[in-house]
Short mmCIF file of all heavy atoms in Angstrom, two decimals:
data_model
loop_
_atom_site.label_atom_id
_atom_site.label_comp_id
_atom_site.label_asym_id
_atom_site.label_seq_id
_atom_site.Cartn_x
_atom_site.Cartn_y
_atom_site.Cartn_z
N LYS A 13 0.85 -1.22 -0.01
CA LYS A 13 -0.01 0.03 -0.02
C LYS A 13 0.87 1.26 0.00
O LYS A 13 1.83 1.34 0.73
CB LYS A 13 -0.89 0.02 1.22
CG LYS A 13 -2.08 -0.99 1.19
CD LYS A 13 -2.96 -0.74 2.40
CE LYS A 13 -4.23 -1.58 2.28
NZ LYS A 13 -5.16 -1.37 3.43
N ASN A 14 0.54 2.18 -0.84
CA ASN A 14 1.31 3.44 -0.91
C ASN A 14 0.45 4.46 -1.60
O ASN A 14 0.47 4.64 -2.81
CB ASN A 14 2.57 3.21 -1.69
CG ASN A 14 3.46 4.49 -1.72
OD1 ASN A 14 3.10 5.50 -1.12
ND2 ASN A 14 4.54 4.45 -2.38
N ASN A 15 -0.39 5.17 -0.81
CA ASN A 15 -1.36 6.10 -1.41
C ASN A 15 -0.85 7.52 -1.25
O ASN A 15 -1.34 8.36 -0.51
CB ASN A 15 -2.69 5.92 -0.62
CG ASN A 15 -3.82 6.56 -1.39
OD1 ASN A 15 -3.68 6.94 -2.51
ND2 ASN A 15 -4.98 6.67 -0.73
N THR A 16 0.22 7.83 -2.05
CA THR A 16 0.85 9.10 -1.97
C THR A 16 0.92 9.78 -3.31
O THR A 16 1.94 10.35 -3.70
CB THR A 16 2.30 8.95 -1.40
OG1 THR A 16 3.03 7.99 -2.18
CG2 THR A 16 2.28 8.49 0.04
N GLY A 17 -0.15 9.78 -4.03
CA GLY A 17 -0.18 10.45 -5.27
C GLY A 17 -0.04 9.52 -6.47
O GLY A 17 -0.23 8.30 -6.37
N VAL A 18 0.33 10.07 -7.57
CA VAL A 18 0.46 9.30 -8.88
C VAL A 18 1.40 8.16 -8.71
O VAL A 18 2.53 8.35 -8.27
CB VAL A 18 0.85 10.24 -10.06
CG1 VAL A 18 1.05 9.40 -11.27
CG2 VAL A 18 -0.21 11.30 -10.26
N ASP A 19 1.05 7.00 -9.16
CA ASP A 19 1.89 5.80 -9.09
C ASP A 19 2.77 5.78 -10.35
O ASP A 19 2.37 5.20 -11.40
CB ASP A 19 1.05 4.56 -8.98
CG ASP A 19 1.90 3.32 -8.73
OD1 ASP A 19 3.14 3.37 -8.80
OD2 ASP A 19 1.31 2.22 -8.50
N LEU A 20 3.98 6.39 -10.32
CA LEU A 20 4.80 6.47 -11.49
C LEU A 20 5.25 5.10 -11.98
O LEU A 20 5.50 4.93 -13.21
CB LEU A 20 6.07 7.31 -11.14
CG LEU A 20 5.84 8.82 -10.90
CD1 LEU A 20 7.13 9.45 -10.48
CD2 LEU A 20 5.28 9.49 -12.10
N ARG A 21 5.33 4.16 -11.06
CA ARG A 21 5.67 2.76 -11.44
C ARG A 21 4.82 2.30 -12.61
O ARG A 21 5.34 1.67 -13.56
CB ARG A 21 5.52 1.86 -10.26
CG ARG A 21 5.49 0.39 -10.46
CD ARG A 21 5.08 -0.30 -9.24
NE ARG A 21 3.84 0.22 -8.64
CZ ARG A 21 2.91 -0.47 -7.95
NH1 ARG A 21 3.13 -1.72 -7.68
NH2 ARG A 21 1.86 0.13 -7.47
N GLN A 22 3.53 2.60 -12.55
CA GLN A 22 2.66 2.07 -13.59
C GLN A 22 2.83 2.71 -14.92
O GLN A 22 2.52 2.11 -15.97
CB GLN A 22 1.17 2.26 -13.15
CG GLN A 22 0.78 1.43 -11.91
CD GLN A 22 0.85 -0.06 -12.11
OE1 GLN A 22 0.86 -0.53 -13.25
NE2 GLN A 22 0.84 -0.79 -11.04
N LEU A 23 3.46 3.92 -14.99
CA LEU A 23 3.74 4.54 -16.26
C LEU A 23 4.80 3.77 -17.07
O LEU A 23 4.77 3.71 -18.28
CB LEU A 23 4.19 5.96 -16.08
CG LEU A 23 3.24 6.99 -15.49
CD1 LEU A 23 3.84 8.29 -15.36
CD2 LEU A 23 1.96 7.05 -16.42
N PHE A 24 5.75 3.17 -16.29
CA PHE A 24 6.85 2.45 -17.03
C PHE A 24 6.46 1.03 -17.43
O PHE A 24 7.05 0.49 -18.31
CB PHE A 24 8.08 2.45 -16.11
CG PHE A 24 8.69 3.81 -15.86
CD1 PHE A 24 8.34 4.49 -14.72
CD2 PHE A 24 9.49 4.39 -16.81
CE1 PHE A 24 8.90 5.79 -14.50
CE2 PHE A 24 10.03 5.70 -16.60
CZ PHE A 24 9.72 6.34 -15.44
N ILE A 25 5.50 0.48 -16.71
CA ILE A 25 5.00 -0.90 -17.07
C ILE A 25 4.22 -0.83 -18.37
O ILE A 25 3.23 -0.12 -18.43
CB ILE A 25 4.21 -1.52 -15.91
CG1 ILE A 25 5.03 -1.63 -14.62
CG2 ILE A 25 3.70 -2.90 -16.34
CD1 ILE A 25 4.23 -2.08 -13.41
N GLY A 26 4.70 -1.47 -19.38
CA GLY A 26 4.03 -1.42 -20.67
C GLY A 26 4.45 -0.26 -21.56
O GLY A 26 3.92 -0.12 -22.68
N SER A 27 5.44 0.50 -21.14
CA SER A 27 5.87 1.64 -21.99
C SER A 27 6.89 1.33 -23.03
O SER A 27 7.36 2.18 -23.79
CB SER A 27 6.43 2.75 -21.07
OG SER A 27 7.64 2.40 -20.48
N GLU A 28 7.35 0.07 -23.09
CA GLU A 28 8.20 -0.43 -24.13
C GLU A 28 9.59 0.27 -24.21
O GLU A 28 10.13 0.51 -25.29
CB GLU A 28 7.51 -0.43 -25.52
CG GLU A 28 6.23 -1.28 -25.56
CD GLU A 28 5.68 -1.39 -26.96
OE1 GLU A 28 6.41 -1.60 -27.91
OE2 GLU A 28 4.40 -1.27 -27.11
N GLY A 29 10.04 0.69 -23.05
CA GLY A 29 11.34 1.34 -23.01
C GLY A 29 11.47 2.71 -23.58
O GLY A 29 12.53 3.21 -23.86
N THR A 30 10.33 3.37 -23.74
CA THR A 30 10.30 4.72 -24.33
C THR A 30 10.43 5.82 -23.29
O THR A 30 10.71 6.98 -23.64
CB THR A 30 9.06 4.93 -25.16
OG1 THR A 30 7.90 4.79 -24.31
CG2 THR A 30 8.94 3.96 -26.30
N LEU A 31 10.19 5.51 -22.02
CA LEU A 31 10.20 6.52 -20.95
C LEU A 31 11.35 6.39 -20.04
O LEU A 31 11.84 7.36 -19.40
CB LEU A 31 8.90 6.48 -20.16
CG LEU A 31 7.60 6.64 -20.92
CD1 LEU A 31 6.39 6.56 -19.94
CD2 LEU A 31 7.58 7.94 -21.67
N GLY A 32 11.93 5.21 -19.86
CA GLY A 32 13.04 4.96 -18.98
C GLY A 32 13.51 3.53 -19.10
O GLY A 32 12.81 2.68 -19.72
N VAL A 33 14.67 3.24 -18.52
CA VAL A 33 15.25 1.87 -18.58
C VAL A 33 14.99 1.21 -17.21
O VAL A 33 15.48 1.63 -16.19
CB VAL A 33 16.75 1.92 -18.85
CG1 VAL A 33 17.30 0.50 -18.85
CG2 VAL A 33 17.00 2.63 -20.22
N ILE A 34 14.22 0.12 -17.27
CA ILE A 34 13.94 -0.62 -16.05
C ILE A 34 15.23 -1.45 -15.72
O ILE A 34 15.74 -2.17 -16.55
CB ILE A 34 12.76 -1.58 -16.23
CG1 ILE A 34 11.48 -0.78 -16.39
CG2 ILE A 34 12.59 -2.55 -15.03
CD1 ILE A 34 10.27 -1.55 -16.95
N THR A 35 15.72 -1.34 -14.48
CA THR A 35 16.95 -1.97 -14.07
C THR A 35 16.72 -3.04 -12.96
O THR A 35 17.55 -3.93 -12.83
CB THR A 35 18.00 -0.96 -13.59
OG1 THR A 35 17.42 -0.15 -12.60
CG2 THR A 35 18.49 -0.15 -14.77
N GLU A 36 15.60 -2.94 -12.23
CA GLU A 36 15.36 -3.86 -11.14
C GLU A 36 13.85 -3.82 -10.77
O GLU A 36 13.21 -2.81 -10.99
CB GLU A 36 16.20 -3.51 -9.93
CG GLU A 36 16.22 -4.48 -8.79
CD GLU A 36 17.18 -4.05 -7.71
OE1 GLU A 36 16.83 -3.23 -6.85
OE2 GLU A 36 18.37 -4.50 -7.76
N ALA A 37 13.35 -4.94 -10.25
CA ALA A 37 11.94 -4.95 -9.87
C ALA A 37 11.78 -5.82 -8.64
O ALA A 37 12.41 -6.84 -8.48
CB ALA A 37 11.13 -5.54 -11.04
#
């Protein structure tokens, strides 16, 4: 649970590497 505003994590999931490079999960 983390209800502190926009969940930026979800922007990168499914973004096909166009917004950032995922290095760890």
